[in-house]
Amino acid sequence: MDRIDQYRIVVCLAECQSFTATAERLGLSKAVVSSAVRALEEQLGTRLFHRTTRSVQLTQDGSALVERCSSLLSDLDELDGAFRQDVTALSGRLRIDLPTGVARNLVLPRLPEFLHAHPGVNIELSCTDRFVDVVAEGFDCVLRVGNLKDSSLVARLLGHFAVLNVASPDYVARFGTPHTLADLDAHLLVHYVGQFGVSAADGFEYFDGTRFQLHAMRGQIMVNNTDAYTAACVAGLGITQMPVVGARPLIEAGKLIEILPNLRSEAMPVHLVYASRKHLSKRLRVMMDWLAEVLRPWVD
């Protein structure tokens, strides 16, 4: 048995967590699976799995190997079909990270059409407010909304999300509708910070005709999560400045109302970010083009 077959067995065992289930999935005997794992452990000089009578769990070294092997095997599967003209032959794993609102409102509702067109592709989808480490965490690409930090990563600009000023109908009924910047002194803002105790709360951002400014506002709640930020606004806890992708569905559902349309915040750039590689896999190129198409109606 060659090394690639051993890698396939190890990856499958990591998923199944059972020698019997792995043997059944791969059409091998349990003895062959067990022998392949032991042989690879001897060749590498490390233990890959913790084995008990009830479970099979990856060791730290095993997790690192499976992470690398999954990408390697996906690339090999794609290489096998590299000369096929039909893009439906795409195969392998894609690990991507999306902002929660973008995933929920735009990507996930349309993802079945992508997977139907490319049944050989498997997607690992991460949704988080933090900036994931593209290289260290093995992401093929991430979608980032907002200004980027300097890095060696490649960034593909898709456009900009307009940012809307919104409040709930209940909030407007209690506090009234602000029409000018001065009116905001009698209103509440839901404050958003990246990290409590480290990030300072911003005020209400607006364009003064020359540059973007911040108008200080009081507020009774501060959050560090976009879902909480949205929920606080819907609950009537204050005004928020929300990207159109999150605000528009709630406005159409009658849960939010747009206010102060002439005092909008700066639009937020939207990038696809990926590692600086000389050759991108076909499945990643197709996925990024598809994501760009999905977002096209929403970006300026």
Side-chain angles (χ1 to χ4, degrees):
M1 180 178 293
D2 64 25
R3 184 68 64 89
I4 297 300
D5 288 334
Q6 291 174 330
Y7 287 161
R8 292 189 187 279
I9 289 173
V10 166
V11 170
C12 187
L13 181 57
E15 295 174 355
C16 295
Q17 298 183 1
S18 163
F19 282 93
T20 300
T22 298
E24 291 176 353
R25 178 184 291 187
L26 298 178
L28 302 171
S29 70
K30 184 177 176 181
V32 169
V33 171
S34 180
S35 176
V37 173
R38 285 198 307 270
L40 186 58
E41 287 179 327
E42 291 175 1
Q43 293 163 10
L44 298 176
T46 188
R47 192 173 185 82
L48 301 176
F49 293 93
H50 296 300
R51 305 166 178 80
T52 69
T53 56
R54 295 184 178 181
S55 66
V56 179
Q57 299 291 332
L58 284 167
T59 64
Q60 185 173 354
D61 285 343
S63 295
L65 178 70
V66 167
E67 179 67 35
R68 298 293 296 273
C69 283
S70 295
S71 297
L72 172 64
L73 293 173
S74 291
D75 289 340
L76 286 174
D77 288 340
E78 182 171 321
L79 182 61
D80 287 341
F83 299 100
R84 301 174 190 167
Q85 297 301 312
D86 185 2
V87 296
T88 60
L90 295 178
S91 64
R93 184 202 70 175
L94 283 171
R95 178 177 293 179
I96 61 178
D97 179 78
L98 305 174
T100 303
V102 173
R104 178 178 57 245
N105 297 322
L106 302 186
V107 175
L108 286 172
R110 291 188 57 183
L111 191 56
E113 70 185 49
F114 180 89
L115 295 179
H116 178 73
H118 309 291
V121 174
N122 295 305
I123 294 177
E124 296 180 359
L125 177 61
S126 164
C127 297
T128 177
D129 283 348
R130 70 179 178 88
F131 271 21
V132 299
D133 189 319
V134 177
V135 176
E137 298 181 56
F139 284 97
D140 293 291
C141 71
V142 304
L143 186 78
R144 287 184 174 161
V145 179
N147 295 320
L148 298 178
K149 298 178 181 178
D150 291 336
S151 75
S152 61
L153 300 175
V154 180
R156 173 180 171 182
L157 179 65
L158 301 184
H160 294 75
F161 281 150
V163 178
L164 309 184
N165 304 316
V166 292
S168 72
D170 176 66
Y171 177 89
V172 170
R174 288 185 293 122
F175 291 90
T177 302
H179 298 286
T180 67
L181 193 64
D183 289 345
L184 291 177
D185 294 337
H187 284 266
L188 299 173
L189 186 71
V190 177
H191 291 286
Y192 180 94
V193 295
Q195 186 176 353
F196 293 128
V198 176
S199 306
D202 292 333
F204 181 92
E205 186 177 82
Y206 68 99
F207 188 66
D208 68 0
T210 303
R211 62 190 181 94
F212 287 95
Q213 302 265 26
L214 289 175
H215 182 81
M217 286 184 65
R218 61 192 180 95
Q220 292 182 295
I221 184 169
M222 178 183 295
V223 300
N224 67 344
N225 174 278
T226 54
D227 277 346
Y229 187 65
T230 301
C233 186
V234 171
L237 295 173
I239 295 168
T240 63
Q241 297 186 286
M242 193 180 301
V244 64
V245 62
R248 187 184 295 170
L250 294 171
I251 292 172
E252 292 174 351
K255 295 182 178 181
L256 293 179
I257 298 171
E258 183 178 5
I259 59 175
L260 297 169
N262 295 324
L263 289 175
R264 286 188 178 179
S265 175
E266 184 174 10
M268 304 178 75
V270 183
H271 291 90
L272 280 171
V273 179
Y274 51 98
S276 182
R277 296 175 180 171
K278 186 175 181 180
H279 300 291
L280 292 178
S281 68
K282 183 186 294 185
R283 64 182 179 278
L284 179 55
R285 292 197 306 270
V286 171
M287 167 56 77
M288 290 197 295
D289 288 343
W290 180 81
L291 286 171
E293 188 61 31
V294 169
L295 267 65
R296 191 181 307 281
W298 296 84
V299 296
D300 299 329

